[in-house]
Amino acid sequence: MWYNVTMENLDKLQNIIDGAKRMVFFGGAGVSTESGIPDFRSQDGLYNTKYAYPPEQILSHTFFCYQTSEFYDFYRDKMLYLDAQPNAAHLKLAEWERQGKLTAVVTQNIDGLHQKAGSKNVFELHGSVWRNYCTRCGKPYAVQDILHSKGVPKCSCGGIVKPDVVLYEEGLNGDILNDSIRHISEADVLIIGGTSLNVYPAAGLVDYFNGDHLVVINKGMPAKSTAGALYIDGKIGEVFSQLK
C-alpha cells in the first residue's frame, strides 16, 4: 500500500531503523534533486528539455564515439553540478554509517554527493563525474579539466578523455555490481529512496534482498513493486530530516 508521510508512518520507519543491524540504502535521482540536480524523467527533467538530439541519445556510447564534441557541449552544460551540496538524505546516511548501522550506499547517481556528505562505503553503479580517464593510455583527469576545456578534451598522449560514467549501451562495472548484490543480499533492512525503479539492470538489484524490512520512499509509486514493503510517498530528504 502507498502511504503519505504521516507521524504514524514515520514512527514505523523509525522503529525499523532502530532495530536495523545491517542496513543498506539504494538510491536514485530523487536523492539529488533536493540538492538542485535535475533528474531525467520528471516534468523539469532532462528528457523534457529541448536539444537537437534526445538526451538518452546524446548520453550513449555511440554518440560519444561519433559526435564527441556535441556530447561534451551537453555534458558540460547539463551533467556537471560541482557546487551542489548534500541534503538531509545524504547527511543522515553518512551519520548512520558512522554509527555502524548502515553498511553500504548503492547509488545510481554520478554526482559524488554521498561522499561529500561523509559516506565511505558507496557503490556507484553508473560511475562518477569526478573521475575521468584517457581512452588511449588510461591517465586520470580531474573533473575541472573537463569543465574548463574547450571542445573535446584531449590527453597529453593525444587520446580522448572520457568521463568515468556508464553511458547508454555500456555495461555496469562487474566488481561494483557484485559488491552491491552482496551487501543487499546480506542486509536486514533495505531502504530504497528517490528512484522509480525504471532503469535496469540497477532496479533488478532489489530482487536480491532477503532481509526483514523493505522500505520504499519516493515521490510517486515506483514501476517495480514488492510485496510487504513499507511505501512512503514523499521526498527522501524531507522524510529523513524527521528521523533520528
Side-chain angles (χ1 to χ4, degrees):
M1 185 174 293
W2 194 233
Y3 298 100
N4 291 322
V5 181
T6 64
M7 289 307 301
E8 179 183 358
N9 295 318
L10 287 173
D11 287 342
K12 290 180 182 179
L13 177 56
Q14 186 68 67
N15 288 334
I16 290 172
I17 292 168
D18 289 344
K21 293 181 174 62
R22 293 187 57 83
M23 185 163 58
V24 170
F25 179 79
F26 177 88
V31 181
S32 295
T33 53
E34 291 173 84
S35 293
I37 298 177
D39 62 5
F40 273 62
R41 292 177 173 81
S42 69
Q43 182 177 351
D44 299 319
L46 292 179
Y47 282 175
N48 293 307
T49 56
K50 302 299 183 183
Y51 288 89
Y53 303 91
E56 62 268 35
Q57 182 178 349
I58 298 174
L59 296 174
S60 69
H61 179 81
T62 298
F63 198 93
F64 176 83
C65 291
Y66 294 102
Q67 294 174 268
T68 316
S69 180
E70 289 89 345
F71 169 90
Y72 270 111
D73 287 343
F74 179 88
Y75 184 80
R76 292 188 188 95
D77 187 36
K78 292 296 181 183
M79 302 301 292
L80 298 180
Y81 292 85
L82 306 187
D83 294 329
Q85 296 300 315
N87 59 57
H90 301 103
L91 296 172
K92 182 58 70 175
L93 291 166
E95 178 184 332
W96 286 334
E97 184 184 63
R98 290 192 297 271
Q99 294 172 351
K101 186 174 290 291
L102 184 83
T103 62
V105 170
V106 180
T107 180
Q108 299 175 78
N109 297 331
I110 60 176
D111 49 50
L113 287 180
H114 286 292
Q115 291 91 332
K116 190 179 285 190
S119 290
K120 304 297 183 185
N121 204 29
V122 181
F123 297 98
E124 298 171 310
L125 294 173
H126 296 154
S128 173
V129 299
W130 293 88
R131 299 186 301 268
N132 306 272
Y133 64 93
C134 173
T135 56
R136 179 183 295 175
C137 72
K139 180 179 178 180
Y141 282 86
V143 66
Q144 288 80 8
D145 296 325
I146 303 297
L147 184 64
H148 300 304
S149 62
K150 301 293 183 182
V152 178
K154 294 291 186 68
C155 176
S156 55
C157 77
I160 294 174
V161 178
K162 180 183 182 295
D164 188 16
V165 298
V166 178
L167 303 176
Y168 289 99
E169 304 168 348
E170 295 179 343
L172 302 185
N173 179 286
D175 291 336
I176 293 175
L177 187 62
N178 288 334
D179 283 339
S180 300
I181 291 171
R182 177 172 58 84
H183 278 280
I184 289 173
S185 65
E186 294 174 352
D188 60 352
V189 174
L190 176 62
I191 300 179
I192 301 169
T195 174
S196 58
L197 296 177
N198 271 317
V199 178
Y200 282 82
L205 296 184
V206 179
D207 296 332
Y208 290 93
F209 176 66
N210 296 301
D212 300 323
H213 297 284
L214 177 63
V215 179
V216 180
I217 306 168
N218 190 55
K219 285 297 294 178
M221 190 72 175
K224 182 182 180 69
S225 62
T226 303
L230 171 62
Y231 290 100
I232 298 178
D233 186 359
K235 294 181 179 180
I236 185 73
E238 293 180 3
V239 172
F240 275 13
S241 66
Q242 301 178 70
L243 300 175
K244 292 186 295 184

